[in-house]
mmCIF file of all heavy atoms in Angstrom:
data_model
loop_
_atom_site.group_PDB
_atom_site.id
_atom_site.type_symbol
_atom_site.label_atom_id
_atom_site.label_comp_id
_atom_site.label_asym_id
_atom_site.label_seq_id
_atom_site.Cartn_x
_atom_site.Cartn_y
_atom_site.Cartn_z
ATOM 1 N N GLY A 1132 -46.554 23.378 -50.209
ATOM 2 C CA GLY A 1132 -46.881 22.064 -49.374
ATOM 3 C C GLY A 1132 -48.075 22.197 -48.373
ATOM 4 O O GLY A 1132 -48.751 23.188 -48.314
ATOM 5 N N GLY A 1133 -48.254 21.152 -47.660
ATOM 6 C CA GLY A 1133 -49.385 21.077 -46.705
ATOM 7 C C GLY A 1133 -50.650 20.746 -47.280
ATOM 8 O O GLY A 1133 -51.648 20.729 -46.496
ATOM 9 N N PHE A 1134 -50.826 20.279 -48.543
ATOM 10 C CA PHE A 1134 -52.063 19.760 -49.072
ATOM 11 C C PHE A 1134 -52.171 18.309 -49.007
ATOM 12 O O PHE A 1134 -51.217 17.605 -48.968
ATOM 13 C CB PHE A 1134 -52.193 20.260 -50.567
ATOM 14 C CG PHE A 1134 -51.971 21.753 -50.858
ATOM 15 C CD1 PHE A 1134 -50.843 22.207 -51.336
ATOM 16 C CD2 PHE A 1134 -53.030 22.533 -50.457
ATOM 17 C CE1 PHE A 1134 -50.707 23.562 -51.545
ATOM 18 C CE2 PHE A 1134 -52.847 23.913 -50.699
ATOM 19 C CZ PHE A 1134 -51.706 24.467 -51.216
ATOM 20 N N HIS A 1135 -53.486 17.898 -48.915
ATOM 21 C CA HIS A 1135 -53.583 16.328 -48.785
ATOM 22 C C HIS A 1135 -53.202 15.697 -50.072
ATOM 23 O O HIS A 1135 -52.567 14.663 -49.941
ATOM 24 C CB HIS A 1135 -55.152 16.150 -48.387
ATOM 25 C CG HIS A 1135 -55.373 14.571 -48.273
ATOM 26 N ND1 HIS A 1135 -54.906 13.837 -47.277
ATOM 27 C CD2 HIS A 1135 -56.100 13.777 -49.141
ATOM 28 C CE1 HIS A 1135 -55.357 12.519 -47.470
ATOM 29 N NE2 HIS A 1135 -56.059 12.532 -48.678
ATOM 30 N N ALA A 1136 -53.481 16.200 -51.221
ATOM 31 C CA ALA A 1136 -53.178 15.538 -52.439
ATOM 32 C C ALA A 1136 -53.047 16.598 -53.579
ATOM 33 O O ALA A 1136 -54.138 17.275 -53.757
ATOM 34 C CB ALA A 1136 -54.260 14.493 -52.768
ATOM 35 N N VAL A 1137 -51.930 16.560 -54.192
ATOM 36 C CA VAL A 1137 -51.759 17.259 -55.492
ATOM 37 C C VAL A 1137 -51.700 16.275 -56.651
ATOM 38 O O VAL A 1137 -50.844 15.469 -56.664
ATOM 39 C CB VAL A 1137 -50.509 18.188 -55.474
ATOM 40 C CG1 VAL A 1137 -50.349 18.930 -56.864
ATOM 41 C CG2 VAL A 1137 -50.600 19.116 -54.381
ATOM 42 N N GLN A 1138 -52.704 16.306 -57.479
ATOM 43 C CA GLN A 1138 -52.841 15.403 -58.567
ATOM 44 C C GLN A 1138 -52.709 16.002 -59.977
ATOM 45 O O GLN A 1138 -53.151 17.158 -60.070
ATOM 46 C CB GLN A 1138 -54.335 14.677 -58.548
ATOM 47 C CG GLN A 1138 -54.579 13.670 -59.583
ATOM 48 C CD GLN A 1138 -55.941 13.157 -59.495
ATOM 49 O OE1 GLN A 1138 -56.919 13.892 -59.952
ATOM 50 N NE2 GLN A 1138 -56.145 12.027 -58.875
ATOM 51 N N VAL A 1139 -52.072 15.374 -60.866
ATOM 52 C CA VAL A 1139 -52.229 15.757 -62.181
ATOM 53 C C VAL A 1139 -53.164 14.863 -63.019
ATOM 54 O O VAL A 1139 -53.060 13.625 -62.850
ATOM 55 C CB VAL A 1139 -50.714 15.775 -62.914
ATOM 56 C CG1 VAL A 1139 -50.837 15.812 -64.492
ATOM 57 C CG2 VAL A 1139 -50.010 16.854 -62.437
ATOM 58 N N THR A 1140 -53.894 15.457 -63.938
ATOM 59 C CA THR A 1140 -54.827 14.666 -64.746
ATOM 60 C C THR A 1140 -54.462 14.797 -66.209
ATOM 61 O O THR A 1140 -54.244 15.984 -66.634
ATOM 62 C CB THR A 1140 -56.381 15.091 -64.559
ATOM 63 O OG1 THR A 1140 -56.612 14.669 -63.254
ATOM 64 C CG2 THR A 1140 -57.240 14.248 -65.568
ATOM 65 N N THR A 1141 -54.291 13.712 -66.898
ATOM 66 C CA THR A 1141 -53.968 13.712 -68.377
ATOM 67 C C THR A 1141 -55.051 13.029 -69.161
ATOM 68 O O THR A 1141 -55.397 11.919 -68.878
ATOM 69 C CB THR A 1141 -52.634 13.098 -68.619
ATOM 70 O OG1 THR A 1141 -51.619 13.875 -67.850
ATOM 71 C CG2 THR A 1141 -52.206 13.225 -70.087
ATOM 72 N N VAL A 1142 -55.523 13.825 -70.128
ATOM 73 C CA VAL A 1142 -56.529 13.303 -71.008
ATOM 74 C C VAL A 1142 -55.804 12.798 -72.269
ATOM 75 O O VAL A 1142 -55.163 13.500 -72.974
ATOM 76 C CB VAL A 1142 -57.634 14.209 -71.409
ATOM 77 C CG1 VAL A 1142 -58.612 13.554 -72.403
ATOM 78 C CG2 VAL A 1142 -58.390 14.676 -70.262
ATOM 79 N N ILE A 1143 -55.879 11.405 -72.544
ATOM 80 C CA ILE A 1143 -55.133 10.873 -73.518
ATOM 81 C C ILE A 1143 -56.070 10.687 -74.818
ATOM 82 O O ILE A 1143 -57.165 10.255 -74.779
ATOM 83 C CB ILE A 1143 -54.610 9.436 -73.159
ATOM 84 C CG1 ILE A 1143 -53.602 9.646 -72.144
ATOM 85 C CG2 ILE A 1143 -53.960 8.736 -74.449
ATOM 86 C CD1 ILE A 1143 -52.301 10.418 -72.535
ATOM 87 N N ASN A 1144 -55.580 11.117 -75.978
ATOM 88 C CA ASN A 1144 -56.263 10.994 -77.274
ATOM 89 C C ASN A 1144 -55.380 10.315 -78.280
ATOM 90 O O ASN A 1144 -54.127 9.874 -77.966
ATOM 91 C CB ASN A 1144 -56.794 12.409 -77.719
ATOM 92 C CG ASN A 1144 -55.584 13.292 -77.975
ATOM 93 O OD1 ASN A 1144 -54.725 13.016 -78.872
ATOM 94 N ND2 ASN A 1144 -55.597 14.419 -77.310
ATOM 95 N N HIS A 1145 -55.879 10.230 -79.418
ATOM 96 C CA HIS A 1145 -55.092 9.413 -80.474
ATOM 97 C C HIS A 1145 -53.791 10.093 -80.916
ATOM 98 O O HIS A 1145 -52.861 9.445 -81.340
ATOM 99 C CB HIS A 1145 -56.013 9.171 -81.696
ATOM 100 C CG HIS A 1145 -55.351 8.395 -82.856
ATOM 101 N ND1 HIS A 1145 -54.978 6.958 -82.726
ATOM 102 C CD2 HIS A 1145 -55.061 8.664 -84.161
ATOM 103 C CE1 HIS A 1145 -54.500 6.519 -83.774
ATOM 104 N NE2 HIS A 1145 -54.536 7.488 -84.591
ATOM 105 N N ALA A 1146 -53.859 11.410 -80.801
ATOM 106 C CA ALA A 1146 -52.565 12.123 -81.001
ATOM 107 C C ALA A 1146 -51.441 12.203 -80.068
ATOM 108 O O ALA A 1146 -50.316 12.370 -80.359
ATOM 109 C CB ALA A 1146 -53.030 13.538 -81.491
ATOM 110 N N ASN A 1147 -51.915 12.326 -78.809
ATOM 111 C CA ASN A 1147 -50.865 12.415 -77.702
ATOM 112 C C ASN A 1147 -50.433 11.115 -77.040
ATOM 113 O O ASN A 1147 -49.574 11.136 -76.053
ATOM 114 C CB ASN A 1147 -51.337 13.482 -76.780
ATOM 115 C CG ASN A 1147 -52.472 13.114 -75.856
ATOM 116 O OD1 ASN A 1147 -52.900 11.875 -76.052
ATOM 117 N ND2 ASN A 1147 -52.921 13.975 -75.005
ATOM 118 N N ILE A 1148 -51.068 10.003 -77.415
ATOM 119 C CA ILE A 1148 -50.794 8.750 -76.629
ATOM 120 C C ILE A 1148 -49.245 8.374 -76.794
ATOM 121 O O ILE A 1148 -48.729 7.785 -75.831
ATOM 122 C CB ILE A 1148 -51.650 7.535 -77.146
ATOM 123 C CG1 ILE A 1148 -51.695 6.464 -76.224
ATOM 124 C CG2 ILE A 1148 -51.392 7.155 -78.499
ATOM 125 C CD1 ILE A 1148 -52.673 5.290 -76.445
ATOM 126 N N GLY A 1149 -48.623 8.725 -77.761
ATOM 127 C CA GLY A 1149 -47.235 8.462 -77.966
ATOM 128 C C GLY A 1149 -46.334 9.224 -76.918
ATOM 129 O O GLY A 1149 -45.144 8.937 -76.840
ATOM 130 N N GLN A 1150 -46.867 10.228 -76.146
ATOM 131 C CA GLN A 1150 -46.075 10.956 -75.238
ATOM 132 C C GLN A 1150 -46.164 10.452 -73.749
ATOM 133 O O GLN A 1150 -45.591 11.036 -72.875
ATOM 134 C CB GLN A 1150 -46.563 12.459 -75.309
ATOM 135 C CG GLN A 1150 -46.410 13.089 -76.679
ATOM 136 C CD GLN A 1150 -46.875 14.478 -76.774
ATOM 137 O OE1 GLN A 1150 -47.214 15.123 -75.693
ATOM 138 N NE2 GLN A 1150 -46.837 15.054 -77.859
ATOM 139 N N LEU A 1151 -46.906 9.242 -73.642
ATOM 140 C CA LEU A 1151 -47.018 8.762 -72.286
ATOM 141 C C LEU A 1151 -45.718 8.504 -71.568
ATOM 142 O O LEU A 1151 -45.590 8.941 -70.349
ATOM 143 C CB LEU A 1151 -47.844 7.493 -72.261
ATOM 144 C CG LEU A 1151 -49.311 7.554 -72.385
ATOM 145 C CD1 LEU A 1151 -50.015 6.276 -72.629
ATOM 146 C CD2 LEU A 1151 -49.982 8.153 -70.919
ATOM 147 N N ASP A 1152 -44.735 7.958 -72.182
ATOM 148 C CA ASP A 1152 -43.510 7.568 -71.526
ATOM 149 C C ASP A 1152 -42.781 8.888 -71.083
ATOM 150 O O ASP A 1152 -42.145 8.991 -70.160
ATOM 151 C CB ASP A 1152 -42.670 6.679 -72.366
ATOM 152 C CG ASP A 1152 -43.319 5.269 -72.500
ATOM 153 O OD1 ASP A 1152 -43.457 4.721 -71.342
ATOM 154 O OD2 ASP A 1152 -43.400 4.823 -73.597
ATOM 155 N N ARG A 1153 -42.681 9.843 -72.061
ATOM 156 C CA ARG A 1153 -41.999 11.103 -71.752
ATOM 157 C C ARG A 1153 -42.744 11.851 -70.521
ATOM 158 O O ARG A 1153 -42.124 12.496 -69.710
ATOM 159 C CB ARG A 1153 -41.827 11.920 -73.044
ATOM 160 C CG ARG A 1153 -40.758 11.399 -73.936
ATOM 161 C CD ARG A 1153 -40.779 12.307 -75.147
ATOM 162 N NE ARG A 1153 -41.653 12.042 -76.067
ATOM 163 C CZ ARG A 1153 -42.097 12.628 -77.227
ATOM 164 N NH1 ARG A 1153 -41.146 13.753 -77.469
ATOM 165 N NH2 ARG A 1153 -43.067 12.300 -77.969
ATOM 166 N N LEU A 1154 -43.972 11.800 -70.599
ATOM 167 C CA LEU A 1154 -44.757 12.481 -69.459
ATOM 168 C C LEU A 1154 -44.470 11.750 -68.180
ATOM 169 O O LEU A 1154 -44.238 12.358 -67.117
ATOM 170 C CB LEU A 1154 -46.216 12.476 -69.854
ATOM 171 C CG LEU A 1154 -46.776 13.451 -70.789
ATOM 172 C CD1 LEU A 1154 -48.260 13.143 -71.120
ATOM 173 C CD2 LEU A 1154 -46.505 14.949 -70.355
ATOM 174 N N TYR A 1155 -44.378 10.448 -68.327
ATOM 175 C CA TYR A 1155 -44.057 9.716 -67.055
ATOM 176 C C TYR A 1155 -42.595 10.044 -66.568
ATOM 177 O O TYR A 1155 -42.485 10.180 -65.284
ATOM 178 C CB TYR A 1155 -44.045 8.108 -67.493
ATOM 179 C CG TYR A 1155 -43.526 7.309 -66.297
ATOM 180 C CD1 TYR A 1155 -44.201 6.875 -65.169
ATOM 181 C CD2 TYR A 1155 -42.120 6.784 -66.473
ATOM 182 C CE1 TYR A 1155 -43.726 6.068 -64.293
ATOM 183 C CE2 TYR A 1155 -41.722 5.844 -65.463
ATOM 184 C CZ TYR A 1155 -42.403 5.611 -64.325
ATOM 185 O OH TYR A 1155 -41.950 4.760 -63.446
ATOM 186 N N ASP A 1156 -41.643 10.358 -67.391
ATOM 187 C CA ASP A 1156 -40.366 10.735 -66.838
ATOM 188 C C ASP A 1156 -40.371 12.072 -66.123
ATOM 189 O O ASP A 1156 -39.708 12.291 -65.221
ATOM 190 C CB ASP A 1156 -39.438 10.704 -68.130
ATOM 191 C CG ASP A 1156 -39.105 9.477 -68.751
ATOM 192 O OD1 ASP A 1156 -39.209 8.335 -67.889
ATOM 193 O OD2 ASP A 1156 -38.652 9.275 -69.856
ATOM 194 N N ILE A 1157 -41.280 12.858 -66.617
ATOM 195 C CA ILE A 1157 -41.388 14.214 -66.022
ATOM 196 C C ILE A 1157 -42.070 14.148 -64.674
ATOM 197 O O ILE A 1157 -41.622 14.538 -63.571
ATOM 198 C CB ILE A 1157 -42.117 15.225 -66.962
ATOM 199 C CG1 ILE A 1157 -41.407 15.467 -68.168
ATOM 200 C CG2 ILE A 1157 -42.605 16.515 -66.210
ATOM 201 C CD1 ILE A 1157 -42.266 16.218 -69.269
ATOM 202 N N PHE A 1158 -43.280 13.447 -64.633
ATOM 203 C CA PHE A 1158 -44.063 13.348 -63.294
ATOM 204 C C PHE A 1158 -43.363 12.532 -62.350
ATOM 205 O O PHE A 1158 -43.567 12.676 -61.102
ATOM 206 C CB PHE A 1158 -45.468 12.953 -63.787
ATOM 207 C CG PHE A 1158 -46.257 13.781 -64.597
ATOM 208 C CD1 PHE A 1158 -47.002 13.334 -65.561
ATOM 209 C CD2 PHE A 1158 -46.114 15.172 -64.421
ATOM 210 C CE1 PHE A 1158 -47.743 14.067 -66.412
ATOM 211 C CE2 PHE A 1158 -46.776 16.097 -65.327
ATOM 212 C CZ PHE A 1158 -47.617 15.546 -66.234
ATOM 213 N N ARG A 1159 -42.621 11.530 -62.710
ATOM 214 C CA ARG A 1159 -41.993 10.582 -61.806
ATOM 215 C C ARG A 1159 -40.997 11.449 -60.926
ATOM 216 O O ARG A 1159 -40.745 11.025 -59.746
ATOM 217 C CB ARG A 1159 -41.241 9.482 -62.597
ATOM 218 C CG ARG A 1159 -40.286 8.601 -61.663
ATOM 219 C CD ARG A 1159 -39.499 7.613 -62.555
ATOM 220 N NE ARG A 1159 -38.657 8.504 -63.472
ATOM 221 C CZ ARG A 1159 -38.003 8.018 -64.548
ATOM 222 N NH1 ARG A 1159 -38.144 6.644 -64.830
ATOM 223 N NH2 ARG A 1159 -37.269 8.745 -65.246
ATOM 224 N N ASP A 1160 -40.349 12.462 -61.382
ATOM 225 C CA ASP A 1160 -39.422 13.200 -60.657
ATOM 226 C C ASP A 1160 -40.074 14.365 -59.841
ATOM 227 O O ASP A 1160 -39.302 15.070 -59.296
ATOM 228 C CB ASP A 1160 -38.388 13.717 -61.676
ATOM 229 C CG ASP A 1160 -37.568 12.660 -62.321
ATOM 230 O OD1 ASP A 1160 -37.469 11.659 -61.753
ATOM 231 O OD2 ASP A 1160 -37.149 12.873 -63.461
ATOM 232 N N MET A 1161 -41.337 14.500 -59.922
ATOM 233 C CA MET A 1161 -42.109 15.334 -59.021
ATOM 234 C C MET A 1161 -42.796 14.782 -57.870
ATOM 235 O O MET A 1161 -43.039 13.582 -57.912
ATOM 236 C CB MET A 1161 -43.083 16.075 -59.985
ATOM 237 C CG MET A 1161 -42.522 16.861 -61.178
ATOM 238 S SD MET A 1161 -43.867 17.481 -62.256
ATOM 239 C CE MET A 1161 -44.527 18.830 -61.253
ATOM 240 N N ASP A 1162 -43.053 15.545 -56.826
ATOM 241 C CA ASP A 1162 -43.523 15.100 -55.657
ATOM 242 C C ASP A 1162 -45.076 14.909 -55.759
ATOM 243 O O ASP A 1162 -45.772 15.496 -54.817
ATOM 244 C CB ASP A 1162 -43.015 15.752 -54.485
ATOM 245 C CG ASP A 1162 -43.472 14.980 -53.188
ATOM 246 O OD1 ASP A 1162 -43.584 13.779 -53.145
ATOM 247 O OD2 ASP A 1162 -43.402 15.697 -52.074
ATOM 248 N N LEU A 1163 -45.573 14.305 -56.853
ATOM 249 C CA LEU A 1163 -47.020 14.352 -56.974
ATOM 250 C C LEU A 1163 -47.607 13.158 -56.125
ATOM 251 O O LEU A 1163 -47.005 12.122 -55.913
ATOM 252 C CB LEU A 1163 -47.411 14.069 -58.457
ATOM 253 C CG LEU A 1163 -46.935 15.083 -59.428
ATOM 254 C CD1 LEU A 1163 -47.237 14.669 -60.854
ATOM 255 C CD2 LEU A 1163 -47.729 16.453 -59.289
ATOM 256 N N ASP A 1164 -48.820 13.418 -55.624
ATOM 257 C CA ASP A 1164 -49.632 12.356 -54.942
ATOM 258 C C ASP A 1164 -50.201 11.273 -55.945
ATOM 259 O O ASP A 1164 -50.313 10.201 -55.457
ATOM 260 C CB ASP A 1164 -50.646 12.935 -54.081
ATOM 261 C CG ASP A 1164 -50.064 13.733 -52.949
ATOM 262 O OD1 ASP A 1164 -49.534 13.242 -51.977
ATOM 263 O OD2 ASP A 1164 -50.000 15.094 -53.139
ATOM 264 N N SER A 1165 -50.582 11.716 -57.170
ATOM 265 C CA SER A 1165 -51.071 10.793 -58.146
ATOM 266 C C SER A 1165 -51.082 11.375 -59.399
ATOM 267 O O SER A 1165 -51.109 12.674 -59.608
ATOM 268 C CB SER A 1165 -52.562 10.269 -57.710
ATOM 269 O OG SER A 1165 -53.419 11.345 -57.772
ATOM 270 N N TRP A 1166 -51.085 10.581 -60.467
ATOM 271 C CA TRP A 1166 -51.168 10.950 -61.822
ATOM 272 C C TRP A 1166 -52.324 10.154 -62.389
ATOM 273 O O TRP A 1166 -52.266 9.031 -62.531
ATOM 274 C CB TRP A 1166 -49.945 10.678 -62.558
ATOM 275 C CG TRP A 1166 -49.957 11.106 -64.116
ATOM 276 C CD1 TRP A 1166 -50.773 11.926 -64.721
ATOM 277 C CD2 TRP A 1166 -49.153 10.441 -65.132
ATOM 278 N NE1 TRP A 1166 -50.504 11.975 -65.942
ATOM 279 C CE2 TRP A 1166 -49.603 11.140 -66.329
ATOM 280 C CE3 TRP A 1166 -48.114 9.431 -65.190
ATOM 281 C CZ2 TRP A 1166 -48.993 10.751 -67.566
ATOM 282 C CZ3 TRP A 1166 -47.690 9.031 -66.387
ATOM 283 C CH2 TRP A 1166 -48.083 9.759 -67.547
ATOM 284 N N ARG A 1167 -53.449 10.902 -62.747
ATOM 285 C CA ARG A 1167 -54.733 10.248 -63.186
ATOM 286 C C ARG A 1167 -54.667 10.418 -64.705
ATOM 287 O O ARG A 1167 -54.703 11.477 -65.259
ATOM 288 C CB ARG A 1167 -55.869 11.096 -62.593
ATOM 289 C CG ARG A 1167 -57.230 10.648 -63.028
ATOM 290 C CD ARG A 1167 -58.316 11.280 -62.154
ATOM 291 N NE ARG A 1167 -59.702 10.996 -62.614
ATOM 292 C CZ ARG A 1167 -60.289 11.929 -63.326
ATOM 293 N NH1 ARG A 1167 -59.794 13.163 -63.741
ATOM 294 N NH2 ARG A 1167 -61.683 11.638 -63.663
ATOM 295 N N VAL A 1168 -54.686 9.194 -65.341
ATOM 296 C CA VAL A 1168 -54.708 9.178 -66.825
ATOM 297 C C VAL A 1168 -56.061 8.552 -67.264
ATOM 298 O O VAL A 1168 -56.291 7.504 -66.928
ATOM 299 C CB VAL A 1168 -53.503 8.233 -67.278
ATOM 300 C CG1 VAL A 1168 -53.380 8.190 -68.839
ATOM 301 C CG2 VAL A 1168 -52.203 8.728 -66.653
ATOM 302 N N ILE A 1169 -56.582 9.420 -68.139
ATOM 303 C CA ILE A 1169 -58.058 8.965 -68.657
ATOM 304 C C ILE A 1169 -58.048 9.075 -70.125
ATOM 305 O O ILE A 1169 -57.211 9.864 -70.714
ATOM 306 C CB ILE A 1169 -59.040 9.787 -67.972
ATOM 307 C CG1 ILE A 1169 -58.792 11.309 -68.302
ATOM 308 C CG2 ILE A 1169 -59.119 9.596 -66.566
ATOM 309 C CD1 ILE A 1169 -59.950 12.219 -67.703
#
Side-chain angles (χ1 to χ4, degrees):
F1134 304 104
H1135 177 68
V1137 176
Q1138 178 187 79
V1139 165
T1140 294
T1141 300
V1142 179
I1143 295 298
N1144 61 61
H1145 184 62
N1147 70 0
I1148 192 168
Q1150 298 180 8
L1151 277 169
D1152 288 306
R1153 283 178 287 172
L1154 288 171
Y1155 170 77
D1156 291 338
I1157 293 170
F1158 298 141
R1159 178 187 55 193
D1160 296 332
M1161 301 173 70
D1162 190 24
L1163 297 173
D1164 294 284
S1165 65
W1166 179 26
R1167 180 171 170 260
V1168 183
I1169 57 179

